């Protein structure tokens, strides 16, 4: 037995330390080939730390960096990390991957901005805004799956809620009523999903997919039949104004990003904190997690499994309803067919990447929002990459995350399982 352990030790060291270290060093070589060789000596990259639009934030000026020297610095950091990983090992793989990814992205931004000026704060602010519907979709998934109900129908809820928001907002000339209409629509669709999954024990993947198909068909029909010819009456709601928060909005960099946004972005940030507190620090959150992990044990302790699941799925639908409202009354003021563009599915990927926790889901959503914002900014800078590939960026990131994380992320133990009271 001891001999076998000794024989396996070199294999374990190679797998845990040597191989990751080699991959990290290879990443440094890739940065050199892709970006360092493509920059000229003596050129500068200028990153704007002040928004290009009118803001209350204190001005701090631009960050000007030598392009090639900064990329070489990123390469040195990555190579050092790879060598340290091979020699000693870094306990947190997530930290290692995060630093390497940050170095790669920063090198890419320097390469793309060489000899130009780039609004870094503007892109970060745009990343948060673009992450908003993804985060709300992810929160919907978190609260549903924590009670063991898989919600594949988030995309459909976003779409139906977006249309309801603009129609109610336009008809009543009141954006708050439009938001309420979106929330109620999301709650109704969430109740339908809960009813099908809990009462009739329909396969949760099938019921969610059916909702998505129903949403695409219904919204497309209403749009072509009623909205196209009645834009002024039903499809021209306007959007929520930006609301700067006093004092906090003056903070450089962070102020424009977090404290100068519209109502829906603030609701998202509040929901992230509120859901984290509810899930992990309240009796209801404890019951929800118990139902998701071991419903029979929760039932024997007096927890109403069915009620807990109904409430969580309906509340999740209402949260997704807020996400749907973002697309219309929070962003463009009108509804277009299939305008959600898969954000509900990206939200599910963010939920998995965030390991079914509100803060993790929000952090993951920022990653996808950053990818979405980056492709827009890169088109403005006219980088020598085909626009089709830039448009693919958020979806490529989604596939990479799912391919690399799904095998290791552990969902609630009873996720997707039908519970029958004995």
């Amino acid at each position: 037995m001891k001999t076998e352990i000794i024989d396996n030790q070199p294999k374990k060291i190679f797998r845990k330390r040597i191989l990751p270290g080699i991959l990290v060093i290879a990443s440094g070589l890739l940065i050199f080939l892709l970006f360092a060789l493509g920059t000229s000596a003596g050129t500068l990259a200028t990153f704007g730390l002040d928004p290009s639009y009118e803001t209350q934030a204190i001005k701090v000026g631009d960050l000007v960096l030598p392009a090639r020297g900064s990329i070489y610095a990123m390469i040195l950091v990555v190579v050092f990390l790879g060598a340290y990983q091979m020699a000693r090992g870094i306990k947190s793989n997530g930290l290692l991957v995060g630093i390497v990814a940050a170095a790669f992205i920063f090198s890419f931004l320097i390469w793309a901005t060489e000899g130009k000026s780039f609004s870094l704060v503007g892109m970060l602010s745009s990343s948060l805004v673009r992450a908003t519907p993804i985060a709300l979709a992810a929160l919907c998934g978190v609260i549903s799956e924590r009670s063991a109900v898989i919600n594949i129908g988030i995309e459909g809820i976003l779409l139906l809620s977006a249309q309801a928001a603009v129609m109610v907002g336009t008809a009543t000339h009141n954006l708050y009523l439009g938001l309420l209409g979106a929330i109620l629509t999301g709650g109704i669709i969430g109740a339908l999903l809960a009813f099908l999954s809990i009462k009739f024990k329909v396969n949760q993947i099938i019921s969610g997919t059916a909702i998505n198909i129903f949403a695409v068909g219904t919204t497309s029909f209403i749009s072509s039949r009623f909205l196209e010819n009645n834009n002024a009456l039903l499809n021209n709601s306007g959007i929520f104004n930006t609301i700067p928060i006093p004092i906090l909005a003056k903070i450089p960099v962070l102020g424009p990003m977090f404290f100068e946004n519209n109502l829906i972005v603030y609701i998202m940030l509040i929901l992230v904190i509120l859901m984290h507190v509810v899930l992990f620090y309240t009796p209801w959150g404890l019951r929800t997690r118990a139902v998701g992990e071991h419903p029979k044990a929760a039932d024997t302790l007096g927890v109403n499994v069915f009620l807990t699941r109904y409430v969580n799925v309906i509340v999740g639908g209402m949260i997704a309803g807020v996400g749907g409202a973002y697309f219309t009354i929070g962003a463009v003021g009108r509804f277009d067919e299939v305008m959600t563009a898969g954000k509900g599915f990206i939200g599910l990927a963010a939920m998995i990447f965030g390991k079914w926790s509100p803060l993790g889901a929000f952090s993951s959503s920022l990653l996808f929002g950053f990818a979405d914002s980056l492709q827009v900014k890169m088109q403005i800078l006219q980088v020598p990459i085909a626009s089709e590939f830039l448009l693919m960026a958020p979806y490529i990131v989604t596939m990479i995350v799912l391919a690399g994380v799904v095998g290791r992320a552990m969902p609630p133990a009873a996720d997707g399982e039908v519970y029958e009271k004995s």
Side-chain angles (χ1 to χ4, degrees), residues 294-312:
H294 204 310
K296 182 168 285 188
D299 196 3
T300 58
L301 293 174
V303 177
N304 190 325
V305 174
F306 298 128
L307 177 63
T308 303
R309 290 184 173 180
Y310 270 113
V311 171
N312 279 283

Side-chain angles (χ1 to χ4, degrees), residues 89-112:
I90 297 175
K91 292 183 179 180
S92 175
N93 288 331
L95 177 63
L96 181 64
V97 172
I99 294 174
V100 172
F104 188 90
I105 292 170
F106 192 54
S107 299
F108 171 73
L109 289 176
I110 293 172
W111 168 78

Side-chain angles (χ1 to χ4, degrees), residues 142 146 349-358 360-361 364 405 408-410:
V142 168
R146 278 290 184 171
M351 173 197 71
I352 296 169
F353 193 34
K355 298 183 178 179
W356 288 267
S357 72
S364 304
V405 176
R408 295 189 295 273
M410 296 299 294

